[in-house]
Amino acid sequence: MEQRVEKEGKNRNATEKGLKKRRRKRKIRRRIVDTHKVHLCSDVPEGVSPCITKYWYQRYNLFSRYDEGIEMDEEGWFSVTPEDIAIRHAEKSGNGLVIDCFSGVGGNAIQFAHLLKVAMLCFSVPMLLQWCCHVIAIDINARKVGYSLNNARIYGVEDYIDFIIGDFFLLAPLLKADVLFLSPPWGGPSYIAAEKFSLQMLKPKDGYSLFQVAQKTTPNIIMFLPRNVDVNQVEELSWLSSPPLEVEIEENYVKGKLKGITAYFGDIAYG
Ligand code: MGP
Ligand code: SAH
């Protein structure tokens, strides 16, 4: 009797050990698959430099139609607003004339224009008159404007955007718009090294000067900023206007990962 119990005990131990082994095996296999997915570099095409490899892996989050011929340079890769976030910016912008003042390779301008196109196709003539404006996309870099035009064609919205090669700070006094969208350079991927990203670190001018220039055109301003930005400073921007502007600050995630922070000022806050 004692022997049987001992035997059963041994068998149970053996079975448990077997199960554990199998479980461990399965776990390890799963881990390898993950590693494989993240680190396998063999399918990265030639010409994609090591510093943009991580962005290449996110290419369909940046442009869902990436495979149709999207073009970007290095700065474009690390600066373009992920498509879902750009859609959110467009939805919040209302239905007036939007100027994308630092348009890069077109991530945002395309989504502003897409929303406009959908509105034009769906609504009646009086609504059309209200929406008869284009999106304006400004970038100082002619090559970026070329990429942006190419990318807008892929999304079928090139006729809804006026592309301007120029310096936003020089053009600003001439601009009229309902909403200004600002996603200036943050100083490259090393922006994240700062414990708190201060508005003074924005390029080519600090965030306070940028905001002051922008609000001469309209109080309705959208700023796309680093996820480590000093949020108190962002709130302070609303006090540069008298009376202070409404401000709404939101965190923008893609697939559960925080990518940036958007501040909406003026009538579009909480809209
Ligand atoms: P990231 O932090 O460099 O990438 O940029 P990621 O993949 O989140 O890094 P990880 O290693 O932490 O996983 C995140 C997002 O910020 C990019 O997809 C861009 O939309 C935006 N972004 C990054 N930079 C450096 C800039 C910039 O200079 N200007 C603007 N406008 N946006 C930027
Ligand atoms: N939102 C864009 C990315 C913007 S990156 C997208 O989704 O693609 C910032 C851009 O600002 C760069 O393309 C850079 O060429 C441009 N830029 C820098 N200084 C500028 C200036 N003074 N006026 C206009 N554009 C400028």
Side-chain angles (χ1 to χ4, degrees), residues 51 54-55 58 61-62 75-83 85 102 108 181-192 197 202-203 224-228 254 257-261:
C51 54
K54 75 166 177 180
Y55 303 100
Q58 303 176 50
N61 294 340
L62 304 180
E75 187 185 17
W77 272 107
F78 65 68
S79 305
V80 63
T81 304
E83 190 163 288
I85 300 178
F102 301 85
N108 285 100
F181 179 76
L182 310 174
S183 64
W186 303 347
S190 60
Y191 79 89
I192 201 65
F197 185 96
L202 286 177
K203 307 279 180 230
F224 185 50
L225 296 163
R227 58 183 186 255
N228 54 344
V254 174
K257 170 125 202 324
L258 183 58
K259 290 287 171 182
I261 284 183

Side-chain angles (χ1 to χ4, degrees), residues 52-94:
I52 55 171
T53 302
K54 75 166 177 180
Y55 303 100
W56 185 83
Y57 279 112
Q58 303 176 50
R59 61 198 179 283
Y60 300 116
N61 294 340
L62 304 180
F63 286 108
S64 57
R65 300 178 75 165
Y66 177 81
D67 286 344
E68 293 174 48
I70 292 292
E71 290 176 352
M72 282 183 272
D73 59 5
E74 192 164 307
E75 187 185 17
W77 272 107
F78 65 68
S79 305
V80 63
T81 304
E83 190 163 288
D84 282 351
I85 300 178
I87 292 171
R88 165 75 181 160
H89 291 154
E91 286 168 352
K92 284 280 288 178
S93 67

Side-chain angles (χ1 to χ4, degrees), residues 197-212:
F197 185 96
S198 132
L199 288 181
Q200 277 91 351
M201 292 158 78
L202 286 177
K203 307 279 180 230
K205 292 194 182 178
D206 69 273
Y208 295 99
S209 310
L210 170 61
F211 193 82
Q212 253 166 344

Side-chain angles (χ1 to χ4, degrees), residues 79-81 101-108 139-140 144 166-168 183 185:
S79 305
V80 63
T81 304
C101 307
F102 301 85
S103 57
V105 295
N108 285 100
D139 203 283
I140 200 163
K144 293 268 198 322
D167 182 336
F168 166 67
S183 64

Side-chain angles (χ1 to χ4, degrees), residues 175-246:
L175 301 175
K176 285 198 167 21
D178 297 300
V179 176
L180 287 193
F181 179 76
L182 310 174
S183 64
W186 303 347
S190 60
Y191 79 89
I192 201 65
E195 198 184 324
K196 239 185 205 164
F197 185 96
S198 132
L199 288 181
Q200 277 91 351
M201 292 158 78
L202 286 177
K203 307 279 180 230
K205 292 194 182 178
D206 69 273
Y208 295 99
S209 310
L210 170 61
F211 193 82
Q212 253 166 344
V213 169
Q215 69 162 351
K216 286 188 184 138
T217 301
T218 172
N220 305 320
I221 296 170
I222 306 175
M223 283 180 103
F224 185 50
L225 296 163
R227 58 183 186 255
N228 54 344
V229 74
D230 184 339
V231 178
N232 291 332
Q233 285 189 335
V234 180
E235 278 172 359
E236 273 167 27
L237 291 175
S238 61
W239 292 87
L240 293 175
S241 186
S242 176
L245 296 170
E246 282 272 20

